[in-house]
Amino acid sequence: MEKPIYLKNSEDAKLFNELRKRVNKRVEAIPENRDIYIQIKAVILPLVYFGLYVSALFNADKPWVYISAFVLMGISLVLIYLNLIHEAAHNNIYKNKKLNGLVLQIFDFVGANSYIWKKRHIASHHAYPNVDGWDTDIEQSGLLLIIPWIKAKGIQKYQHYFFFLVYPLYLFNWMFIRDFRDFFDKERVILKTQGKIPAIEKVKMISYKLFYFFYQIAVPILFFKVSFGLALGAWFLQVIAASIFALFVLLPLHPLPDNAFPKLDENNGLPFSWLRHQLEVTNDLKENNWFVRNVLGNFNFHVAHHLFPNYSYSYYNEITEEIETFAREHQLGYKRFPIVTALGKHVHLLKQNANNAYYILEE
């Protein structure tokens, strides 16, 4: 299948080369190696997750302590994703790719699949963000319509009324449906663009998921006398908490009405150059404090990640300053919203799509 082609624009290529030189110079002037802090987290965060698990097991006779520990496991799971998994996929934690690969495999122990997620993230989302049929992050589920120029059908016309019931099920869909479909459904973006998946990866995916459910639910019941209802309920609340937290972080960065969802032309061409595409489909958040930078993995500076994924989030503060300055100088469309505003915009996108506002406007 022929992949999308970015618009060739020599002036934009020169602009990005100039921006890259500024960013590289700025980062190289920083005397400390900040990635050491992420390497420390690569030890601490998994210990926190499994420490909470052990704490739950040894408080199996105290239902609210058991449940609280599992809910906190859900929060720590998202922190592991933001701080470690995301960076390991880009080989930004260690210089050694094998060490990054080991960190990435943590994902397999918490219910996801590291192999297929890296394929999704690098070869799909980073390659073609917000492009229908190529970015797995906006792949349609049938219940909710994210892409504004597709006409809403059936239940999608009411999505702005019930989305808050669907979003907490995000990780359930990932664990039970999305991973399996990406491995075995030939109509999915991954199989169409990445070719055949090795059989060993399919075996590993199923094996890790079985192990995940064994230690999450079976072990407490079989060895610590936790009732089936408590074991299942605590695990369920863990995944609900993780889903809400994850989407709180992910939704304000791409699927907003202010961001483009570029259409391919008849020749599979995109309307923007690579540089302008990243700016058209991505926005930053205005929040910038110690907690966001050090606990939430600097997710607020997402434009920097798409333009310079070879740098870890430890350097996004300085990189974003360069991007903002450069964008003002050259009238580039850099966007930044408060998180509450961005979340409100996402809801507006759902309502707009449900009412076919964009579709009607085009006609």
Side-chain angles (χ1 to χ4, degrees):
M1 178 177 288
E2 186 181 351
K3 295 182 178 181
I5 302 168
Y6 283 103
L7 179 70
K8 303 295 182 184
N9 186 309
S10 59
E11 289 303 313
D12 284 357
K14 290 178 183 177
L15 282 176
F16 181 66
N17 284 334
E18 183 183 343
L19 174 60
R20 181 166 51 192
K21 288 177 182 177
R22 291 193 192 184
V23 166
N24 289 343
K25 183 178 180 181
R26 179 73 178 272
V27 174
E28 288 167 5
I30 297 172
E32 61 177 330
N33 174 20
R34 296 179 182 174
D35 291 339
I36 188 67
Y37 301 112
I38 306 179
Q39 293 166 15
I40 293 170
K41 292 179 188 178
V43 176
I44 292 174
L45 288 177
L47 287 177
V48 169
Y49 181 86
F50 289 105
L52 287 166
Y53 172 71
V54 171
S55 175
L57 293 181
F58 283 97
N59 286 281
D61 58 333
K62 302 171 184 174
W64 286 110
V65 176
Y66 184 89
I67 291 170
S68 298
F70 265 73
V71 169
L72 290 173
M73 284 169 65
I75 302 300
S76 63
L77 188 159
V78 178
L79 296 181
I80 287 171
Y81 169 79
L82 292 174
N83 288 275
L84 304 180
I85 304 301
H86 194 228
E87 294 304 317
H90 291 279
N91 294 308
N92 284 341
I93 302 178
Y94 302 99
K95 292 181 179 179
N96 187 309
K97 287 187 177 182
K98 289 184 178 180
L99 289 176
N100 287 300
L102 287 175
V103 173
L104 191 62
Q105 284 187 338
I106 295 171
F107 227 22
D108 298 313
F109 290 94
V110 294
N113 180 266
S114 60
Y115 173 85
I116 207 70
W117 180 80
K118 185 174 181 179
K119 290 285 188 184
R120 289 186 197 124
H121 188 67
I122 303 296
S124 177
H125 175 63
H126 266 269
Y128 311 107
N130 273 23
V131 179
D132 181 38
W134 293 89
D135 181 1
T136 57
D137 282 11
I138 59 168
E139 206 159 11
Q140 301 301 293
S141 66
L143 285 175
L144 301 176
L145 178 64
I146 300 297
I147 300 164
W149 45 264
I150 295 177
K151 191 170 184 179
K153 297 178 181 179
I155 198 171
Q156 293 172 345
K157 295 179 180 179
Y158 310 98
Q159 62 183 16
H160 51 302
Y161 296 120
F162 66 81
F163 73 93
F164 63 91
L165 297 174
V166 176
Y167 279 172
L169 305 177
Y170 173 66
L171 290 183
F172 291 103
N173 176 67
W174 192 337
M175 291 176 180
F176 292 106
I177 299 174
R178 190 180 182 190
D179 281 347
F180 287 94
R181 289 191 66 190
D182 280 348
F183 268 92
F184 300 106
D185 186 347
K186 294 181 181 178
E187 295 304 311
R188 299 285 281 183
V189 172
I190 289 296
L191 287 181
K192 287 195 295 184
T193 59
Q194 299 304 305
K196 189 175 180 181
I197 295 173
I200 185 63
E201 293 299 336
K202 296 176 182 179
V203 173
K204 285 167 62 178
M205 186 268 287
I206 294 172
S207 299
Y208 274 118
K209 285 189 182 290
L210 288 174
F211 176 71
Y212 169 77
F213 290 110
F214 174 73
Y215 83 78
Q216 288 274 337
I217 299 173
V219 167
I221 294 172
L222 296 175
F223 302 105
F224 292 87
K225 298 180 180 181
V226 174
S227 69
F228 177 79
L230 178 58
L232 190 63
W235 170 78
F236 183 83
L237 290 174
Q238 175 194 162
V239 182
I240 289 287
S243 297
I244 294 172
F245 187 20
L247 288 176
F248 179 81
V249 172
L250 299 175
L251 286 176
L253 303 174
H254 287 291
L256 306 185
D258 306 72
N259 292 334
F261 293 80
K263 289 184 182 180
L264 295 170
D265 62 24
E266 61 276 8
N267 298 314
N268 236 31
L270 287 162
F272 307 114
S273 67
W274 181 85
L275 170 63
R276 291 185 187 272
H277 182 99
Q278 309 308 316
L279 292 168
E280 288 288 342
V281 305
T282 314
N283 62 273
D284 278 350
L285 300 176
K286 286 193 175 180
E287 286 72 17
N288 181 17
N289 51 57
W290 182 92
F291 183 78
V292 171
R293 290 195 300 272
N294 295 282
V295 178
L296 300 183
N298 242 345
F299 80 100
N300 55 320
F301 291 148
H302 204 58
V303 174
H305 176 62
H306 272 266
L307 290 177
F308 301 97
N310 56 308
Y311 285 117
S312 76
Y313 65 79
S314 298
Y315 301 96
Y316 287 174
N317 201 54
E318 289 83 359
I319 292 173
T320 299
E321 287 180 3
E322 294 297 327
I323 292 171
E324 281 192 282
T325 301
F326 192 82
R328 284 195 299 269
E329 290 174 2
H330 298 279
Q331 292 78 52
L332 296 173
Y334 174 79
K335 302 179 292 291
R336 193 169 178 179
F337 310 113
I339 189 168
V340 174
T341 300
L343 289 168
K345 286 176 176 290
H346 176 75
V347 175
H348 179 70
L349 176 70
L350 294 178
K351 185 175 181 179
Q352 169 189 294
N353 293 352
N355 294 324
N356 294 319
Y358 186 97
Y359 188 85
I360 292 168
L361 183 64
E362 278 210 325
E363 287 190 335

